[in-house]
Each structure stands twice: as C-alpha cells, then as structure tokens.
Amino acid sequence: MLYPVLHRMEREGWIASRWGASETGRKRKYYSLKPDGKKALKVQRDQWVAVSGVFKQLWKEHYV
C-alpha cells in the first residue's frame, strides 16, 4: 500500500527519489520532499486540523 502512494506522490512532483546504498550495502531508495510537496503537506495538514477540530468539538459536546 505504501509504494503506490509514494509513486503517485513522485508523479505529482511532491517528492524526489534516489537510489543509494544502505548501511548493510544493499540498494535502497531514498525519498525527500520537494517544494511542491511541502506546499501540499501544508494544505493537507491545514485541512486535517480543521476537520479534527470539528470532531473534537462535536465529541466534547456529546460526552460532557
């Protein structure tokens, strides 16, 4: 499930990948956020904060 998401993020231009050697010497793919990825992360985080705030308020009213 993780790799399709990483591939989609790479297609969107949000992350960059590169092959390198791990500490054990095996090939490993490393990912890093690109500037567009940082912008997308901020948008997603802001949306999550808004949605979670609504749920917190609803649950607070319901369970008080």
Side-chain angles (χ1 to χ4, degrees):
M1 184 174 146
L2 178 63
Y3 292 107
V5 172
L6 287 170
H7 294 157
R8 183 175 62 88
M9 291 173 69
E10 198 168 15
R11 279 194 311 272
E12 294 289 334
W14 295 345
I15 61 174
S17 65
R18 65 176 176 81
W19 286 100
S22 69
E23 295 164 354
T24 62
R26 294 181 56 170
K27 279 179 54 175
R28 183 177 201 174
K29 202 168 195 181
Y30 293 90
Y31 295 91
S32 59
L33 274 176
K34 293 171 76 174
D36 284 347
K38 290 180 182 181
K39 291 175 191 172
L41 176 61
K42 182 180 178 344
V43 168
Q44 294 295 321
R45 184 178 287 145
D46 291 347
Q47 288 177 355
W48 175 253
V49 167
V51 169
S52 67
V54 168
F55 279 113
K56 284 179 187 178
Q57 192 63 31
L58 288 172
W59 290 327
K60 179 180 174 182
E61 292 172 5
H62 186 325
Y63 293 109
V64 171

